[in-house]
Amino acid sequence: MFKMKRICHLIFRLLFLLDGGVWSLRNLSISVPRAVLSGEGQSAVLECSYDLEGAPLYSIRWYKSETEFYRYVPREMPPSMVFPLPGASVDLAQSDRNQVRIVNMNRRLSGDYQCEVSADAPLFHTDIRSAPLTVVDPPFRAPHISISRDSYARGDVLRANCSIDEAYPAPNITWIIDDHKVAETISWRVSDIDFKERAAFSQLEITILEAEHYRMGITYTSSNLNKVYHDHYIYDKDMNKEDRELLRYTVVPPASGQFSLSCVATIYNIYARKSELLYIKEDAPLPASVTGEDSSGVTAACSAALIVLCACASLLPSL
């Protein structure tokens, strides 16, 4: 039914143009929040702007996924009419010819919204615009972060994990070292909305280089869904699945011998939560072994013999 109406409108426009008519409806645009939080009392205001060039308005119709849920017709009393919208309601006090307000949002209200504007007689010109909206169910807890070791020696390779509870949609994960964003795992986007909550997980492999000056840089990430903040990007088609989902980063130890690591979960621009901060310290250098070699390569046994000879030499004058 909805598609048939669109076809009829297009045919009317073509006939009207061939007859030498001019447009009466211009500059139609729609403004819909890209994402809102779900919950009792949470709301979304959808706006529709247009220019009728002096022609009277016949109707404003709002659709969610091609199902009408609000209509405004100035010549009728009352001018507003509401149709069922599962799990939510329309706030009539704040809905009119320019906007509609939906309250009590839930994630099943995610989808495409359309605003259809129709001019009144004699032209009856109609146009429509659409925009997506996502209703977010965030995770209950902060991201959980863990690392294979909380200390390092130069040349070590550390592996860190960041996991996030189920949410809708699945959150993105950003890795942060010393307040620097170093990599991001982008959650899968499905074309068909199934409204299922999904967890998120990311792995970061940190290679500690042997260098004197503190600097950081990505070596590569192999998954095309992951982003890294560096000019060099390497993708190896021969890698196995586990390696393709692994982010790799190289870091030169700071002068302090310590750096911090954390991860942040984000969903669009309305949810962001950070994990606890992990501090990774450089191992203290081990003292030289009594039975091993010293820095000059002479064995401890030779040093002990030298000590005995020196002691004997000091006793000779007293004999």
Side-chain angles (χ1 to χ4, degrees):
M1 180 66 182
F2 183 81
K3 293 182 178 179
M4 182 61 66
K5 287 177 62 181
R6 294 291 309 278
I7 293 173
C8 291
H9 291 155
L10 291 173
I11 292 174
F12 177 82
R13 293 177 199 175
L14 179 61
L15 293 175
F16 186 70
L17 283 174
L18 292 175
D19 192 43
V22 295
W23 294 114
S24 64
L25 174 58
R26 297 169 58 86
N27 303 324
L28 175 61
S29 65
I30 183 174
S31 176
V32 175
R34 185 61 190 90
V36 296
L37 286 173
S38 68
E40 189 75 19
Q42 297 291 344
S43 64
V45 176
L46 288 57
E47 298 178 339
C48 196
S49 62
Y50 48 89
D51 180 7
L52 290 173
E53 295 186 327
L57 174 68
Y58 176 70
S59 69
I60 303 288
R61 298 170 189 260
W62 282 94
Y63 303 87
K64 191 269 177 180
S65 302
E66 301 184 359
T67 300
E68 185 177 10
F69 65 90
Y70 176 74
R71 182 187 303 171
Y72 182 88
V73 183
R75 64 171 60 189
E76 296 183 358
M77 292 300 294
S80 295
M81 184 179 295
V82 175
F83 304 93
L85 194 59
S89 59
V90 173
D91 182 358
L92 282 175
Q94 297 190 46
S95 301
D96 52 29
R97 65 174 65 209
N98 299 118
Q99 68 176 37
V100 59
R101 182 173 182 260
I102 307 171
V103 295
N104 303 329
M105 306 298 291
N106 67 80
R107 66 174 176 262
R108 291 191 173 273
L109 294 177
S110 300
D112 287 330
Y113 286 78
Q114 299 91 27
C115 172
E116 180 187 87
V117 180
S118 298
D120 208 340
L123 300 178
F124 294 108
H125 176 207
T126 298
D127 204 355
I128 191 166
R129 293 290 184 274
S130 66
L133 182 148
T134 301
V135 183
V136 174
D137 274 325
F140 289 106
R141 294 179 294 185
H144 176 71
I145 186 173
S146 62
I147 194 166
S148 55
R149 289 185 61 198
D150 60 4
S151 63
Y152 67 88
R154 302 194 180 205
D156 279 354
V157 177
L158 309 178
R159 182 168 291 195
N161 298 327
C162 182
S163 59
I164 303 170
D165 293 341
E166 291 183 343
Y168 179 84
N172 297 336
I173 299 176
T174 301
W175 287 96
I176 298 175
I177 293 180
D178 281 350
D179 297 324
H180 300 282
K181 293 181 179 180
V182 298
E184 184 177 15
T185 297
I186 307 299
S187 300
W188 285 92
R189 301 280 187 246
V190 292
S191 56
D192 297 326
I193 298 177
D194 56 13
F195 305 113
K196 291 182 180 179
E197 291 183 313
R198 289 180 172 83
F201 180 78
S202 181
Q203 284 188 314
L204 179 67
E205 187 178 271
I206 305 171
T207 301
I208 312 296
L209 297 182
E210 296 185 15
E212 297 178 356
H213 301 290
Y214 182 31
R215 65 178 179 81
M216 295 189 297
I218 284 290
T219 53
Y220 67 89
T221 177
S222 51
S223 173
N224 59 356
L225 287 178
N226 294 334
K227 293 196 300 185
V228 293
Y229 303 100
H230 195 268
D231 293 336
H232 302 291
Y233 177 86
I234 302 173
Y235 175 58
D236 188 347
K237 294 182 179 179
D238 296 328
M239 286 184 177
N240 57 38
K241 183 178 184 297
E242 181 180 358
D243 283 341
R244 289 188 179 185
E245 296 176 352
L246 183 66
L247 295 163
R248 287 182 168 88
Y249 199 85
T250 59
V251 59
V252 176
S256 65
Q258 174 181 283
F259 63 89
S260 63
L261 177 68
S262 61
C263 61
V264 178
T266 58
I267 305 177
Y268 293 105
N269 62 343
I270 65 169
Y271 174 83
R273 196 167 180 186
K274 192 175 183 179
S275 72
E276 64 174 316
L277 206 60
L278 297 182
Y279 292 95
I280 299 93
K281 300 179 181 180
E282 185 171 11
D283 290 330
L286 297 175
S289 172
V290 175
T291 58
E293 292 186 352
D294 60 18
S295 59
S296 62
V298 181
T299 63
C302 293
S303 298
L306 182 60
I307 292 172
V308 172
L309 288 174
C310 291
C312 292
S314 65
L315 292 174
L316 284 176
S318 63
L319 294 177

